[in-house]
Amino acid sequence: MPLRAPKHYQTPIFDPEHLFPAKRRCRTAFTVVYFTRLLLSLSKKVLCKQTKPLRSLSFVAIHVDDATTRRDNVSLINIDQNTLSQMIKEKNHHSLNKLGGVMQVAVILQSDVKEGISGSEADLAHRRDVFGANKYKKPPAKSFLSFVLEALKDTTAIILLACAILSLAFGIKQHGPKDGWYDGGSNIVAIFLVVAISAVSNFKQSRQFLKLSDEISNVRVQVVRDGRHQNISIFDVVVGDLVSLKMGDQIPADGLFSDGRSLKVDESSMTGESDHVEVNGTRNPFLLSGTKVTNGFGFMLVTSVGMNTAWGEMMSSISRTLEEQTPLQAQLSKLKSDIGKVGLVAALPVLAVLTIRYFTGNIRGDHGRREYNGSETKVNDVLTSVFDIIATAVTIIVVAIPEGLPLAVTLTLAYFMKQKMTDNALVRKLSACETMGSATTICTDKTCTNQMQVSEFWLGKEKIEYSTLVEMDPEFSLLLEEGVALNTTATVNKPHSASTPEISGSPTEKAILSWAVQDLGMNINETKQKCEIAYVEAFNSEKKRSGIMIRKSNEKAVHTHWKGAAETILAMCSTYYVKSGELVEMNEKERTQFTAIIHSIAAKNRRCIAFAHKRVVEENKQVSDKKLEETGFTLLGLVGLKNPCRPGVGTAVESCRKAKVSVKMITGDHPHTARAIAIECGILNPEKDMDNKAVVEGVEFRNYSPEERTARVEDIRVMARSSPFDKLLMVQCLKEKGHVVAVTGDGASDAAALKEADIGLCMGIQGTEVAKESSDIIILDDNFTSVVTVLRWGRCVYNNIQKFIQFQLTVNVAALIINLVAAISSGEVLLTAVQLQWVNLIMGLMGALAFSSEPPTNDLMTKPPAGRSEPLITKIMWRNLIAHALYQVIILLILKFKGKSIFGVDEMVKNTLIFNTFVLCQVFNEFNARKLEKINIFEGILENKLFLVIIGFTIIVQVLMVELRGRFTGTTGLNWGQWGACIGIAALSFPVGFAVKCIPIS
């Protein structure tokens, strides 16, 4: 298993003399560099201890070659990538040991387990050239032709195409090639036009979904380059990178564990096993791409990226598609199928009646003669007439099927996704777009800025001002510094002595470290180097604390530090420090006083964090390194962290209240802190919600009986000190009561609640990859105001789809009744196949585009949500639909039976008047459908330019359709008076709509 590309004269890679070009030379160089750096560090320490520089006439000058520069200039091209890849995939300890361990692999990859790679553009480009980019090969996207073929597989299209081909054959046989192709040929052209438009629409949506897939996959990763922590795209990770991992992160590539504590990984995505695997530097240092960190923190040396990882091999064979059918699309597909069945039921009696009428001689031709005269009628004429009857029945079926319903949902959701990208929201699942419009409850924990800062510090029972911090006892100050510097997952990087420290980590950790470095003047990194970490217990959402055990050099004792929620840490303490550095026993009275201090901090909208310490003398290494003690600690101090509410949150909460959407805050903060925040942002009313148990603690809610929990869940506004289980329990309880629940979250512990909720909303900045993977929508700016914006757009989506359903079904119902009556009474339908395809185009694609682009209006947030029980087609929609369909049926049947006498025209002109009036009725009805309840249908019309463009396009094409005067369209030209009559009849839809909306509907 050679690490470098094998040659016939090379010895195996595991031969110590041939590891890296010549191992002996490498070791020599490594020793020289290490020794010179050691001399430099020793000299610096000596100089730092001197108050004055040493005066000496002699000195030694040492030239140190910069290892970073050297490393960039050495080529990586000879390293065998396959060896590294197989070692990680197979978790081969033997191979790793023969390579010399993780440290030696870092040397081979010209990296450093502390400072990472240099990160220069040349170095990064060279690594990508040699090892490849961290991207996966995707299966080729579907071609446009495949979408055309899919559109042609539609049952309706197949039936129409078959009829058109038969019509073409019979027409050519009966009238010759010159005149016989019109009917069948025009039908074929019309069918392929509709198919092409449908294919183009689906093709564009497919490309948009692929783009969205790339956006979802582009997660952020923290790496160490040249000693500095940087946030980069997962696609920019290269071999040799040192990646920082914390709980909830997705592992971006294959690699080796280099440092860390209590690191556990969920490898179920790779192995199928649900157990969390512990990763460390001895038993299991292997980390696989695509897995998730479930506990602890650490650093990983990247050894393979992209297609060279196990995850890359798997992903290359999987085509991830976001074109799933949403619940509303499924519902509309069923509605389309049901209406098609109604059309089939209506077509069967039409077929029977027309067949009987034909063979009994009751159907007459253009000259008034019977079409069937028994044996005198030629077989070809019989077959042609029977085919026309079948085509008429098929037309009844086709006109009944609302082809545009599923397409309308697709277009509306696509428009929604595009708009949300500009409004700080990334939609991961299409179903969330429509579901959000029905949300009745939002459970949130994000109403603050996350720009936290320490606002106060308590030492004992005394509040310490910043001016007196320097007066603290040195021994106490050292213990506090160790508790802050070591018991954290955040990092402090200060490239230059004069520069501002760069602190990376959670908002709480960043605030505490910033306070320690800038206000207390602590040297965090130097403190870390003086101590040996024996054991770490990472922060736990249920225990709400983190702990660490350390050893100091030349001291036979271990020190344990805890940090976390103040009341939790207080319960572990039996003594406390005072300003003079003395230890004081903590009795019950003083414990009560500390509790009052914690409450006072929390009541000021401050998060209260406590530090505790315990020293245990170690006898013969008997102290356990596997579990931290939890009693007998000394309280070091309390800090209050200020986390102000975001601007606009109060307005957003008020918008939810007007929209009849309940907002509940579920947080891990102290009840007093949670109450203060809730009052500040408007979730709690200080006058009304103080006495009715609106605020509960998680443990209290957890201990309710199921009946009591169900009875009280709607009254609860704030749940404090909640665990992930409490959050999940509330979501389940709300759903059982019929609520449509949206949940916000950002941590790995929120994943269960995000999955359980109807809509999971993950915060994009602070959110972990586990939370994002469990969510439906990602809020990119972590702002609750954006959540309300998503709610507003969700209602807009639902409302726009309802508008289109009303418009589409009005046309279908009117066309079905008209054609049914006409077919039975006269033996022919009112609309030809070409005219029918044009109407379907208006209803389907054009109508869907027009309504999908309707922007949200303010009145959407003044109505109650639809919820789970509200039907898709409401009573208001049925009222409007029936009224407009009835008006169109009456008008067109009058034209059918009395049109000749009213206008004094022939049959061809009458049929053109019917077709033209029917289409114009749909144009005017599009305006009526814009407002389901409001009388003013023109409100906001200028904001939707696309709607006006589509109306204009429809009218222009309709004029051309009528004035072409050919057999292709089945129309003849109309004069100005006839056009005015058609427009006037269609425009009566406006007063009809006005009158109908005055009819009250509960």
Side-chain angles (χ1 to χ4, degrees), residues 264-267 273-278 294-295:
K264 289 187 177 181
V265 176
D266 178 8
E267 295 185 351
E273 300 292 336
S274 58
D275 293 336
H276 296 168
V277 180
E278 185 174 354
T294 59
N295 193 34

Side-chain angles (χ1 to χ4, degrees), residues 793-848:
W793 272 96
R795 290 195 172 189
C796 179
V797 167
Y798 194 85
N799 188 246
N800 287 349
I801 291 172
Q802 284 186 315
K803 293 175 184 177
F804 178 75
I805 290 173
Q806 176 185 300
F807 169 71
Q808 170 97 68
L809 294 185
T810 300
V811 183
N812 286 116
V813 169
L816 179 61
I817 295 175
I818 293 167
N819 280 284
L820 186 61
V821 173
I824 294 176
S825 61
S826 63
E828 60 182 14
V829 292
L830 293 182
L831 302 175
T832 68
V834 173
Q835 293 170 351
L836 177 64
Q837 293 299 328
W838 169 233
V839 172
N840 277 341
L841 192 62
I842 296 173
M843 294 186 299
L845 182 64
M846 297 299 174

Side-chain angles (χ1 to χ4, degrees), residues 240-424:
D241 258 328
L242 189 66
V243 179
S244 174
L245 300 174
K246 62 182 183 299
M247 188 170 64
D249 282 350
Q250 174 182 321
I251 296 177
D254 284 0
L256 295 167
F257 175 89
S258 64
D259 190 21
R261 300 290 171 182
S262 307
L263 190 65
K264 289 187 177 181
V265 176
D266 178 8
E267 295 185 351
S268 58
S269 58
M270 297 297 300
T271 64
E273 300 292 336
S274 58
D275 293 336
H276 296 168
V277 180
E278 185 174 354
V279 180
N280 49 49
T282 55
R283 293 185 298 274
N284 178 30
F286 304 102
L287 291 159
L288 299 174
S289 174
T291 56
K292 304 288 194 306
V293 179
T294 59
N295 193 34
F297 61 92
F299 292 90
M300 177 188 78
L301 176 69
V302 176
T303 58
S304 303
V305 295
M307 295 305 299
N308 292 317
T309 64
W311 184 253
E313 291 181 359
M314 182 188 300
M315 290 301 291
S316 63
S317 61
I318 299 174
S319 176
R320 180 179 182 183
T321 176
L322 298 177
E323 298 174 73
E324 80 274 15
Q325 192 175 45
T326 70
L328 188 54
Q329 284 175 318
Q331 192 175 353
L332 292 181
S333 294
K334 185 178 182 301
L335 178 62
K336 171 186 169 183
S337 176
D338 292 341
I339 296 176
K341 292 174 184 177
V342 173
L344 179 62
V345 171
L348 290 176
V350 170
L351 180 64
V353 170
L354 292 182
T355 303
I356 293 171
R357 290 190 60 192
Y358 174 75
F359 285 106
T360 56
N362 290 319
I363 295 182
R364 300 181 179 274
D366 295 336
H367 302 289
R369 295 189 304 178
R370 293 181 177 181
E371 291 190 0
Y372 181 76
N373 291 307
S375 58
E376 298 179 7
T377 307
K378 297 179 181 180
V379 175
N380 285 343
D381 294 337
V382 173
L383 291 175
T384 302
S385 298
V386 169
F387 168 75
D388 289 338
I389 292 172
I390 295 173
T392 301
V394 170
T395 302
I396 297 291
I397 299 174
V398 171
V399 80
I401 299 176
E403 288 291 337
L405 289 182
L407 178 63
V409 180
T410 302
L411 293 175
T412 304
L413 295 181
Y415 181 74
F416 174 91
M417 288 161 53
K418 183 179 179 181
Q419 292 298 317
K420 292 324 299 157
M421 284 297 291
T422 61
D423 285 340
N424 297 312

Side-chain angles (χ1 to χ4, degrees), residues 3 25 58 111 296 323 325 410 432 467 578 701 750 798 811 959:
L3 183 61
R25 282 181 294 164
S58 61
S111 183
E323 298 174 73
Q325 192 175 45
T410 302
S467 59
V578 294
F701 182 77
D750 294 325
Y798 194 85
V811 183
V959 172

Side-chain angles (χ1 to χ4, degrees), residues 2 72 105 253 727 735 837:
D72 286 348
V105 171
K727 194 171 189 177
K735 288 180 69 176
Q837 293 299 328

